[in-house]
């Protein structure tokens, strides 16, 4: 340690520099994850992945994707990546994504400065070795280009969507709790206080599941329009657009910041995100029948996890209606998978056990386009409306 640094630290410890913490220390340029002549990599934005990297040159970088800290054994690994590459000059680059012990899952998206998201052309993606690494061969412009497993969608983006939705359809946004890191947990609520029926729809328990979140938005929009038109007068409506804000902000693969998969926590409700959400749903369910309970997710292909028909007090008609509408409009057909993880503390299992409703997990394909995701969400909502009209 140099004498200069020693005396600086001694002065700091004595309060002699008049500093009130690190915030006033001189800032150099934004910390890069790694850099080489003409290139730097950054993960300084919400949803950025947990990365380490090595820049060999402006033409070759290696980005390691690190999983979040987990308490329980890993389920369904989702090697998430989201980072910015800043180049001083335009030119070719080779980016190696190193997944460690995990396998390539997401087809990379790219957003060049001033442009919208695009898929990386599959001709420029090579999955290497035992699928533990992938090499992207790209031409990048000067400036910051974002590479991500899915289009990045932040808690602020969800809040913006929620505010616009609430405004357009006369829903009230309520804060039903706080996440472990103190982020607001928000629900959109509407419908008369004396309504006898309750609809609950939620999404984004799992941070990377972009297509499921977009399906939820289309579902909500159809429900919101029906509410405007008086078609759901007997219903109280509870929509939860972001169940796991910490996981989304921190670029997690699957978990909240308590190291838990929230969709395995519904029996224990150990995590504040689930405890608060359950308290909200129980409050809203008081004196009402829970008729609809939907949880939107994403996985490798579009499918529905459902309880077997005949075991729930309510929900069989909705399952039949939704299956018929999917069959008529979707190709390929979503599979319906009965009894999946029925004992595993999922939202749908809790809904069945607590309210006697056939909770459904609607899974969108990871690679579904926004249009495909919207179509599934709309069809699900139209099925709800058809069943509600039959009551
Ligand atoms: Zn999920």
């Amino acid at each position: 340690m140099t004498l200069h640094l020693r005396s600086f630290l001694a002065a700091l410890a004595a309060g002699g520099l008049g500093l009130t913490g690190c915030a006033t220390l001189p800032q150099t340029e934004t910390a890069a994850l790694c850099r080489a002549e003409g290139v730097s990599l950054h993960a300084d934005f919400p949803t950025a992945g947990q990365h380490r990297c090595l820049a060999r040159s402006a033409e070759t970088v290696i980005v390691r994707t690190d999983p979040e800290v987990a308490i329980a054994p890993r389920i369904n690994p989702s090697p998430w990546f989201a980072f910015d590459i800043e180049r001083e000059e335009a030119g070719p680059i080779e980016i190696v994504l190193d997944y460690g012990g995990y396998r390539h899952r997401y087809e990379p998206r790219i957003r060049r400065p001033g442009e919208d998201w695009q898929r990386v052309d599959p001709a420029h993606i090579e999955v290497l070795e035992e699928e533990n690494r992938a090499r992207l061969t790209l031409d990048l412009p000067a400036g910051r280009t974002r590479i991500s497993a899915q289009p990045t969608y932040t808690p602020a983006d969800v809040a913006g969507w929620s505010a616009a939705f609430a405004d357009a359809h006369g829903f009230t946004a309520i804060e039903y709790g706080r996440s472990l890191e103190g982020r607001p947990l928000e629900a959109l609520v509407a419908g008369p206080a004396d309504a006898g029926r309750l609809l609950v729809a939620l999404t984004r328990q799992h941070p990377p599941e972009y297509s499921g979140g977009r399906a939820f938005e289309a579902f909500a929009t159809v429900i919101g329009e029906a509410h405007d038109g008086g078609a759901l007068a007997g219903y109280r409506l509870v929509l939860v657009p972001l169940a796991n804000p910490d996981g989304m902000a921190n670029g997690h693969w699957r978990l909240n910041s308590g190291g838990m998969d929230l969709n395995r926590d519904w029996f224990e409700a150990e995590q504040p995100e689930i405890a608060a959400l359950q308290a909200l749903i129980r409050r809203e369910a008081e004196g009402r029948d829970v008729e609809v309970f939907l949880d939107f997710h994403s996985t490798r292909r579009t499918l529905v996890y459902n309880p077997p028909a005949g075991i729930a007090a309510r929900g069989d008609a909705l399952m039949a209606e939704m299956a018929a509408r999917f069959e008529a409009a979707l190709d390929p057909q979503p599979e319906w998978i009965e009894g999946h993880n029925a004992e595993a503390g999922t939202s749908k299992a809790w809904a069945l056990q607590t309210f006697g409703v056939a909770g459904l997990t609607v899974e969108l394909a990871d690679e579904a386009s926004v249009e495909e995701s919207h179509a599934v969400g709309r069809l699900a909502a139209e099925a709800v409306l058809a069943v509600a009209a039959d009551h």
Side-chain angles (χ1 to χ4, degrees):
M1 195 185 284
T2 65
L3 195 60
H4 177 75
L5 183 54
R6 242 183 246 264
S7 52
F8 174 84
L9 289 174
L12 187 62
L17 295 178
L19 299 177
T20 55
C22 294
T24 51
L25 285 173
Q27 291 288 311
T28 52
E29 53 195 338
T30 311
L33 278 180
C34 60
R35 62 171 67 242
E37 183 77 33
V39 69
S40 56
L41 275 80
H42 303 266
D44 55 358
F45 53 92
T47 77
Q50 307 203 6
H51 294 305
R52 286 178 286 155
C53 72
L54 177 67
R56 297 180 70 191
S57 70
E59 283 79 42
T60 313
V61 299
I62 298 145
V63 181
R64 172 73 173 256
T65 68
D66 292 334
E68 73 273 75
V69 175
I71 288 189
R74 259 168 226 298
I75 308 160
N76 202 2
S78 323
W80 172 259
F81 52 89
F83 53 88
D84 285 348
I85 297 190
E86 186 161 9
R87 288 270 298 239
E88 283 173 18
E89 289 173 18
I93 191 167
E94 186 181 288
I95 302 164
V96 175
L97 298 170
D98 178 350
Y99 301 114
Y102 298 90
R103 287 190 172 177
H104 176 76
R105 171 167 173 177
Y106 296 109
E107 289 178 16
R109 278 26 177 215
I110 185 165
R111 193 179 66 193
R112 294 180 171 84
E115 293 183 17
D116 207 350
W117 286 104
Q118 294 178 334
R119 285 167 190 271
V120 172
D121 181 346
H124 297 150
I125 307 169
E126 189 187 353
V127 179
L128 304 169
E129 295 135 17
E130 293 171 334
E131 300 184 35
N132 293 332
R133 301 200 303 159
R135 178 162 52 216
L136 316 182
T137 314
L138 303 172
D139 267 303
L140 294 187
R144 264 201 188 208
T145 296
R146 185 159 299 175
I147 310 278
S148 181
Q150 297 281 318
T152 48
Y153 204 67
T154 66
D157 293 329
V158 178
W161 176 88
S162 294
F165 176 87
D167 194 44
H169 301 297
F171 278 57
T172 305
I174 59 162
E175 185 180 312
Y176 61 87
R178 290 267 166 160
S179 70
L180 207 53
E181 292 181 2
R183 292 186 177 84
L185 300 167
E186 194 175 77
L188 302 160
V189 179
D194 63 354
R197 304 193 177 104
L198 180 66
L199 171 151
V200 177
L202 64 134
T203 193
R204 301 191 180 103
Q205 294 197 73
H206 296 142
E209 295 178 359
Y210 176 78
S211 55
R214 301 315 297 263
F216 166 90
E217 291 174 359
F219 174 87
T221 299
V222 173
I223 295 297
E225 286 166 357
H227 169 68
D228 293 338
L232 286 167
Y235 278 78
R236 187 85 172 146
L237 307 167
V238 176
L239 304 173
V240 181
L242 178 53
N244 181 8
D246 293 353
M248 179 188 259
N250 294 326
H252 285 179
W253 293 13
R254 181 90 181 171
L255 311 179
N256 74 337
S257 54
M260 294 283 288
D261 183 331
L262 294 181
N263 205 29
R264 297 295 181 273
D265 188 42
W266 285 74
F267 290 153
E268 281 83 23
E270 185 186 283
Q271 298 300 306
E273 292 87 353
I274 298 304
L277 182 48
Q278 289 188 358
L280 168 74
I281 296 169
R282 284 183 197 277
R283 250 188 341 265
E284 291 290 346
E286 216 159 293
R288 301 189 175 111
D289 288 332
V290 184
E291 294 281 346
V292 180
F293 190 101
L294 297 179
D295 187 359
F296 289 87
H297 289 251
S298 305
T299 189
R300 286 166 205 282
R301 62 188 203 282
T302 299
L303 54 86
V304 183
Y305 293 122
N306 63 296
I311 67 165
R314 286 173 305 283
D316 282 3
L318 177 59
M319 283 198 276
E321 185 68 33
M322 207 184 286
R325 283 166 188 266
F326 284 177
E327 193 178 333
L330 300 178
D331 182 28
Q333 283 295 297
E335 192 180 350
W336 288 67
I337 300 175
E338 286 188 355
H340 182 77
N341 278 325
E343 312 300 322
T346 60
S347 66
K348 72 172 170 42
W350 177 79
L352 178 63
Q353 187 182 79
T354 311
F355 303 114
V357 62
L360 302 179
T361 306
V362 181
E363 300 266 5
L364 275 290
D366 289 333
E367 304 305 336
S369 66
V370 172
E371 293 71 27
E372 289 165 337
S373 302
H374 281 177
V376 171
R378 269 197 309 271
L379 290 165
E382 287 161 7
V384 168
L385 300 181
V387 172
D390 278 351
H391 262 296

